Amino acid sequence: MRARYDDLWGIGELAARAGVTVKTVRFYSDRGLLPEASRSAGGHRRYGIDALDRLRLIRSLRTLGLSVPEVRRVLDEEDATDGVGQALEGAVAERLRELGSEIRSLRWREAALRLVQESTPGERADRLQLIGGLSVPPSTAPLVRFWRGWLPPRMPRRSVDAFLEVAVPQPPDAPAPAQVLAFARLNALTLGPCPVAAQPRPETHRAVGARGAAVLYAGLAEAYELAGVQLRRGREPRPGEALDCFVDAYTSAYGVRDGEQFRHGLAGQLAADPRIDRYWELVAEVVTEPGRRPEPTPGTAHDWLLAALAAQTGTQPTTAV
């Protein structure tokens, strides 16, 4: 049923009732989001009472940060289904994702600013250079590239992904200044020249080939998790389930039997293999909240297991490089 002329509002009255400017009403009308009921004899816009509810809905959607095209999709769906549904849910979910990224960026910028503020004059130039190498929020791409170059060629993709999940730390959402510095240093480390050798992958890993490495790294991930439990409890390196799992990772990759002779040889070979201790030290700083006991990393778990193996076999434990 068509609204009577007396039931219609002019653009100024609608704007006043909605608490917006005339310019705002005209903007949404011109874009087809707020249809006019009619025009007066003088060509002035007239709106029905239902335009107030629609204008309030538009304002609410815009307040939530939805773009004009997103608002249009929500309104079109409301007109078609007599209710707000999937279009709104999708737009809100997308905006939440965007806000999450924006909030992370702001938290990283704040922590980076505090890092500079807390630095001594002699530290600031170096730290500014480190921070300048980061995106905000930071990307793990340099760390991923570092490890992809470290892993054997033709290793199964599933195994590569599983390894990277363990080896690459995720930047904290709300970092402390010390964590920003640690991640910046980690980023610079993986972008710089290798400090040990052209290919620092241990000989014990290279010898098993791509398929064997997949078996080895899967077994090591399990052993590191078991060792991490011991580290969190503050226990000294010792034989047990974690060490057996550690050795089993190598026997499975090599296709050999476990035994005293094998363990003795493995301990010696692992002690001679190249190390990337600085990487794991920085990882621990990134994943650990300041003031708390350092979180175990694959690096610290490996050291714990190697010390347990050295103690069991009577060999000299490896030292940090």
Side-chain angles (χ1 to χ4, degrees):
M1 181 168 122
R2 186 174 181 180
R4 296 176 310 173
Y5 186 82
D6 291 344
D7 294 333
L8 302 179
W9 296 331
I11 191 170
E13 185 175 0
L14 176 61
R17 288 176 179 271
V20 299
T21 65
V22 169
K23 183 178 180 180
T24 297
V25 177
R26 187 176 291 114
F27 175 85
Y28 292 132
S29 293
D30 290 345
R31 281 154 182 76
L33 300 180
L34 191 65
E36 307 159 11
S38 66
R39 292 260 180 164
S40 68
H44 299 295
R45 307 172 198 245
R46 308 293 293 179
Y47 297 92
I49 296 175
D50 58 347
L52 180 59
D53 289 336
R54 190 175 183 90
L55 183 54
R56 284 172 173 165
L57 175 59
I58 293 171
R59 284 191 65 197
S60 296
L61 296 174
R62 293 289 284 156
T63 298
L64 291 173
L66 273 64
S67 66
V68 171
E70 288 172 327
V71 170
R72 185 185 303 280
R73 286 193 290 271
V74 172
L75 295 176
D76 287 346
E77 183 179 66
E78 184 189 41
D79 292 340
T81 63
D82 195 27
V84 178
Q86 292 183 350
L88 177 61
E89 291 177 4
V92 168
E94 178 61 26
R95 188 62 187 133
L96 283 171
R97 283 191 291 269
E98 292 172 357
L99 280 175
S101 180
E102 291 172 15
I103 290 170
R104 285 189 70 220
S105 296
L106 288 173
R107 286 171 175 166
W108 271 84
R109 285 196 178 97
E110 180 186 21
L113 286 168
R114 293 191 182 281
L115 174 64
V116 174
Q117 185 181 51
E118 296 167 4
S119 302
T120 66
E123 294 171 328
R124 283 177 183 165
D126 178 61
R127 292 183 176 184
L128 283 170
Q129 185 174 0
L130 287 169
I131 292 170
L134 291 177
S135 59
V136 177
S139 170
T140 58
L143 282 65
V144 170
R145 286 195 296 270
F146 171 83
W147 285 112
R148 287 190 182 279
W150 190 89
L151 292 170
R154 297 180 298 280
M155 186 171 163
R157 180 172 180 176
R158 181 182 299 179
S159 299
V160 171
D161 291 342
F163 178 91
L164 293 175
E165 187 175 351
V166 173
V168 176
Q170 294 303 308
D173 289 337
Q179 290 173 299
V180 171
L181 179 59
F183 196 90
R185 285 174 170 164
L186 192 60
N187 182 75
L189 176 68
T190 56
L191 289 173
C194 177
V196 179
Q199 171 54 276
R201 189 155 49 92
E203 179 59 32
T204 48
H205 295 192
R206 287 201 297 271
V208 297
R211 295 289 174 181
V215 175
L216 175 62
Y217 296 145
L220 289 178
E222 183 179 354
Y224 293 157
E225 186 173 346
L226 292 171
V229 173
Q230 304 299 317
L231 283 163
R232 289 188 181 94
R233 293 174 179 172
R235 293 180 177 173
E236 294 296 321
R238 66 183 72 183
E241 181 184 11
L243 179 58
D244 290 342
C245 184
F246 180 67
V247 174
D248 184 64
Y250 287 96
T251 57
S252 298
Y254 284 120
V256 299
R257 291 179 178 273
D258 187 11
E260 182 178 347
Q261 183 176 358
F262 176 80
R263 293 195 177 208
H264 192 280
L266 179 63
Q269 180 60 61
L270 290 176
D273 274 337
R275 302 280 301 275
I276 48 174
D277 297 282
R278 183 56 176 157
Y279 179 92
W280 298 117
E281 290 170 2
L282 292 170
V283 168
E285 293 179 35
V286 169
V287 301
T288 303
E289 294 181 19
R292 303 189 66 176
R293 173 183 289 183
E295 283 292 320
T297 68
T300 55
H302 183 87
D303 288 346
W304 189 95
L305 290 162
L306 192 51
L309 181 62
Q312 185 183 63
T313 58
T315 57
Q316 184 69 26
T318 186
T319 56
V321 176

